[in-house]
Amino acid sequence: MKKALNFVFSLCSIIVMLSLCAYAIHDMQSAEGVGFFFCLMLNAPSRVPFDIATDIIFFALLVALLFIPVMAVKERSIHDFSLFLITYIALMPSISTAYVLGLFRSLDAFKPYLDTEFLTTEFIHHFRIEIPLIVLLCGVNYVIKNIKPEKSDWIMMICAFIAILVSIPFPGLYYLASFIASYLFIIVLFKSMKKLPGKLWLLHVVFFFTAVYRIITVCQAYTL
Amino acid sequence: MKKTRPLKVLYFVPVIILAVLEFLYQRATFFVMDDIWYQTNLVTGQKLSSALDVIKSQIWHYFNWGGRSITHTILQFDLMGGALFCDIMNLLMTFLLCIVIASFAKERIHKLFYFYASFSLIISLNASFRYNMFWQSGAVNYLYSTVWILTFIKVFLRELEDDSIKALPGITFWIVPLGLITGWSNENMGPASFILSLMVIFLVKKNKKYDRIPWWMTLGCISSLIGSFLVIVAPGNFVRSAFTNNSGLLRTIIERALSMLTGACSFLLPPLVIAVTLFTVVTMVLGFKVSNRDIVLIISSILAFGAMILSPHFPPRAVFGIMILLIVLILSFLEQISERFPKFSLISNIFIICTYVYSVIEMYVCVCYYY
């Protein structure tokens, strides 16, 4: 009975979250005109097919980002997917679709320059929840359950810090670096949460509401 | 004694570094917005020149703008002292708040850790430190008021900590003004403190700690109720609320629900996530029984947060008091885990170092921006 309920809750949260994400992606990309850009480039009579295609591509990218870490861990379940999905939406910095397009359109982002204004607190804001939470959960796993962090966790953490360091001389890559670093931190966080099965439900509730709030704010920003 | 000295230095050096950065940022923050208004006699519009001006201003303020007379009186006196005086006072109040938080440590040897940890957590978990610690009007309304609110809370909660604890000297006399200014400070933390005192009285009676509830507890509870009443029913609140847009009931409900969601999921998210994680570890992973003191603190923070639904505006700075209650809970949970698993104290220190590094970078960036 408990397992069935767990399954239903996980499935419902996945459906709700993915639908909201699809809506937010559509809102963002149609307002920023990513599909419209391709429509103008090709002199097409209607932007609708381009908008739909862009929606599908970005949504597929999101689903891939969500699936890869869940598939990589042992003993995966639908509950794990819902947990990762909720944590991802709650903590990941949102990245603009126009910014992603811009990375492919020009090499401006890859030009190194010294921008003193770049060193803003915005950058470290992304890491004020994730890193302390990883420290606490890995600490609990290590001290109480005697489970050491895996080698892959260390590698991901180092890669995340490298991503942060790389973006210092390349401020144009800030959003991308911030996104990659946050993504890696969240995978480590997810893995450490998985080691405390069924215990952190209250934290998941907080993350669920945060995820809903974040999607609402993204939609609010792009709805006229 | 000699053995502990290097450890003390390890805690004090980072505190001093952060304090210097905070002071530099205080110096760089000018009087703006409300500060300019409160520098004047609110009745005549002339610059404040005496205590009488402050009293006249606050009487006008109570009837025409809002009920926070205690904090605004202190604010006006502060502003009369000038910028340097305000900056020194703000830093002293930050220290004082950390000392009050440190008094929540169960063991004497943990007090220094509490002090150091709270000093960095106040910045790192803060949704709007610029507006509740550095902007003068915000500092008095939130930072200063939290000092006496938390003192009031501590005085009551120590009754739940230990059965052999003795009453504080002269408490029957000073609890009345303390309770009054606690209730009269803030629309959400004041009533929450009153309910907290009521809960403590109930628990003390239930545990049969005393034959009769001590006078000071009853007086403290009543005075905080009077204070809360005075801040809420101030005629100025109704004058002020007339300026806000009166939207329909459904729209108001949606707007308030959204502002509460923003409060919990944005402004309070860092302390909330950490407190919830540690609460889960303490209760569900380790199976500890949560102490009455922590239960009362949890209920008070929920009530203080819930009270915000009545407010038409929910700015990020308004969660300061709730954040402080969550910081006390976070430190209490860390202490409990470390007591059972001494190895965990290293993890606690690494966790605090992370938050400290964040605070230093944040302060350093703010200071660099201004100088």
Side-chain angles (χ1 to χ4, degrees):
Chain A
M1 183 65 185
K2 201 180 167 189
K3 271 190 174 175
L5 264 177
N6 207 350
F7 179 83
V8 172
F9 277 126
S10 300
L11 194 66
C12 288
S13 64
I14 289 169
I15 293 168
V16 169
M17 280 298 153
L18 285 181
S19 317
L20 287 170
C21 282
Y23 181 72
I25 287 171
H26 171 74
D27 242 20
M28 183 193 269
Q29 81 79 17
S30 53
E32 289 181 340
V34 178
F36 190 51
F37 167 77
F38 289 111
C39 166
L40 290 177
M41 252 180 54
L42 297 170
N43 272 334
S46 165
R47 66 178 283 182
V48 177
F50 292 94
D51 275 345
I52 293 170
T54 319
D55 287 350
I56 291 169
I57 290 167
F58 277 109
F59 188 70
L61 278 173
L62 173 74
V63 173
L65 283 174
L66 293 170
F67 256 112
I68 294 164
V70 181
M71 297 306 278
V73 294
K74 293 170 204 162
E75 296 168 21
R76 51 196 169 262
S77 68
I78 191 163
H79 176 69
D80 291 337
F81 184 72
S82 96
L83 170 63
F84 186 71
L85 169 66
I86 289 166
T87 315
Y88 177 96
I89 301 168
L91 299 180
M92 279 296 281
S94 59
I95 194 159
S96 141
T97 48
Y99 173 77
V100 177
L101 181 70
L103 286 177
F104 290 105
R105 280 189 61 211
S106 81
L107 293 172
D108 283 354
F110 299 92
K111 280 182 190 162
Y113 64 93
L114 195 68
D115 182 1
T116 47
E117 277 183 30
F118 161 73
L119 193 69
T120 60
T121 51
E122 274 296 306
F123 188 78
I124 50 170
H125 260 289
H126 300 302
F127 310 115
R128 76 170 171 163
I129 298 178
E130 292 145 29
I131 296 174
L133 213 52
I134 288 170
V135 169
L136 284 178
L137 287 175
C138 287
V140 167
N141 285 326
Y142 177 59
V143 174
I144 297 163
K145 301 188 109 191
N146 211 11
I147 307 170
K148 284 183 183 173
E150 292 163 27
K151 214 181 215 173
S152 59
D153 295 342
W154 289 111
I155 293 169
M156 279 189 284
M157 297 274 277
I158 292 166
C159 288
F161 282 113
I162 290 171
I164 298 168
L165 291 175
V166 164
S167 71
I168 293 175
F170 298 99
L173 292 175
Y174 156 60
Y175 290 108
L176 185 68
S178 172
F179 187 86
I180 293 169
S182 277
Y183 184 62
L184 294 171
F185 283 136
I186 286 167
I187 296 173
V188 179
L189 186 63
F190 163 70
K191 286 174 77 183
S192 46
M193 285 200 288
K194 238 182 88 73
K195 285 167 191 158
L196 295 166
K199 306 282 187 194
L200 295 168
W201 63 268
L202 198 56
L203 187 63
H204 303 166
V205 172
V206 174
F207 281 158
F208 178 84
F209 283 106
T210 309
V212 172
Y213 164 75
R214 297 233 20 228
I215 293 173
I216 290 173
T217 48
V218 169
C219 291
Q220 258 182 348
Y222 289 97
T223 305
L224 294 173
Chain B
M1 188 68 187
K2 270 185 180 174
K3 275 183 182 174
T4 57
R5 199 168 288 158
L7 193 72
K8 281 185 180 176
V9 171
L10 276 180
Y11 280 125
F12 274 118
V13 170
V15 168
I16 291 167
I17 293 170
L18 191 54
V20 168
L21 286 170
E22 280 187 27
F23 186 69
L24 287 173
Y25 188 45
Q26 293 279 7
R27 295 300 300 143
T29 312
F30 304 113
F31 291 150
V32 283
M33 300 184 294
D34 292 16
D35 299 343
I36 311 290
W37 188 46
Y38 286 110
Q39 270 182 315
T40 62
N41 179 326
L42 304 183
V43 185
T44 61
Q46 301 296 312
K47 209 165 167 51
L48 288 172
S49 58
S50 66
L52 197 65
D53 275 355
V54 175
I55 294 164
K56 278 181 187 169
S57 298
Q58 285 313 311
I59 292 169
W60 180 90
H61 189 273
Y62 190 77
F63 288 98
N64 295 283
W65 197 245
R68 292 186 190 175
S69 309
I70 301 290
T71 48
H72 287 122
T73 305
I74 294 169
L75 172 64
Q76 290 203 298
F77 279 119
D78 249 8
L79 291 167
M80 276 170 75
L84 181 65
F85 175 74
C86 288
D87 295 340
I88 294 169
M89 278 298 289
N90 292 354
L91 193 62
L92 284 177
M93 280 303 197
T94 312
F95 274 120
L96 208 56
L97 182 59
C98 295
I99 290 169
V100 181
I101 294 174
S103 72
F104 280 82
K106 280 178 195 146
E107 301 289 332
R108 208 180 158 79
I109 51 163
H110 293 151
K111 285 190 193 298
L112 199 58
F113 171 76
Y114 262 64
F115 179 78
Y116 155 69
S118 54
F119 205 73
S120 53
L121 287 174
I122 284 176
I123 298 286
S124 65
L125 302 183
N126 202 327
S128 173
F129 63 84
R130 175 150 177 15
Y131 285 98
N132 53 32
M133 290 175 72
F134 295 88
W135 175 46
Q136 198 54 35
S137 300
V140 178
N141 270 295
Y142 300 102
L143 174 68
Y144 290 26
S145 68
T146 310
V147 173
W148 54 77
I149 289 171
L150 202 63
T151 309
F152 177 82
I153 289 173
K154 170 65 192 172
V155 168
F156 270 84
L157 287 181
R158 68 194 284 279
E159 291 299 317
L160 301 178
E161 284 168 4
D162 192 356
D163 283 344
S164 59
I165 217 143
K166 284 181 185 171
L168 294 162
I171 192 166
T172 319
F173 298 102
W174 54 258
I175 196 71
V176 177
L178 181 64
L180 194 70
I181 62 167
T182 296
W184 204 344
S185 298
N186 202 300
E187 291 85 353
N188 67 329
M189 287 300 288
S193 307
F194 156 67
I195 294 171
L196 179 139
S197 64
L198 214 58
M199 282 191 285
V200 173
I201 290 175
F202 170 76
L203 287 168
V204 165
K205 201 166 169 57
K206 194 180 155 218
N207 297 340
K208 294 178 181 163
K209 192 179 170 186
Y210 299 108
D211 298 332
R212 245 187 68 198
I213 296 297
W215 264 106
W216 71 264
M217 289 183 106
T218 317
L219 288 172
C221 183
I222 293 170
S223 56
S224 65
L225 173 67
I226 294 169
S228 305
F229 183 75
L230 286 170
V231 79
I232 291 167
V233 301
N237 288 335
F238 304 101
V239 177
R240 196 176 178 179
S241 65
F243 287 98
T244 55
N245 288 332
N246 288 321
S247 31
L249 182 69
L250 185 68
R251 197 186 161 89
T252 308
I253 291 170
I254 294 169
E255 278 173 0
R256 298 278 168 96
L258 270 175
S259 72
M260 294 297 280
L261 191 67
T262 311
C265 299
S266 175
F267 309 154
L268 268 177
L269 188 68
L272 184 67
V273 162
I274 291 162
V276 164
T277 307
L278 287 169
F279 173 77
T280 310
V281 170
V282 166
T283 54
M284 294 185 188
V285 178
L286 297 175
F288 290 176
K289 194 173 169 259
V290 184
S291 65
N292 279 341
R293 188 191 82 165
D294 290 348
I295 291 172
V296 170
L297 273 172
I298 292 168
I299 295 172
S300 305
S301 16
I302 294 169
L303 286 172
F305 176 71
M308 290 309 294
I309 202 159
L310 300 171
S311 168
H313 304 290
F314 193 165
R317 60 179 179 270
V319 298
F320 188 79
I322 308 164
M323 179 197 76
I324 295 296
L325 292 183
L326 290 175
I327 287 176
V328 173
L329 280 166
I330 288 169
L331 295 174
S332 168
F333 293 142
L334 284 175
E335 190 182 16
Q336 285 173 47
I337 304 172
S338 301
E339 262 177 16
R340 173 81 172 267
F341 298 94
K343 257 187 182 175
F344 195 81
S345 55
L346 178 69
I347 306 295
S348 303
N349 278 297
I350 296 172
F351 161 70
I352 296 300
I353 288 168
C354 290
T355 61
Y356 175 78
V357 169
Y358 174 87
S359 309
V360 167
I361 295 175
E362 184 111 62
M363 275 295 117
Y364 177 75
V365 170
C366 290
V367 169
C368 285
Y369 184 78
Y370 277 97
Y371 287 96

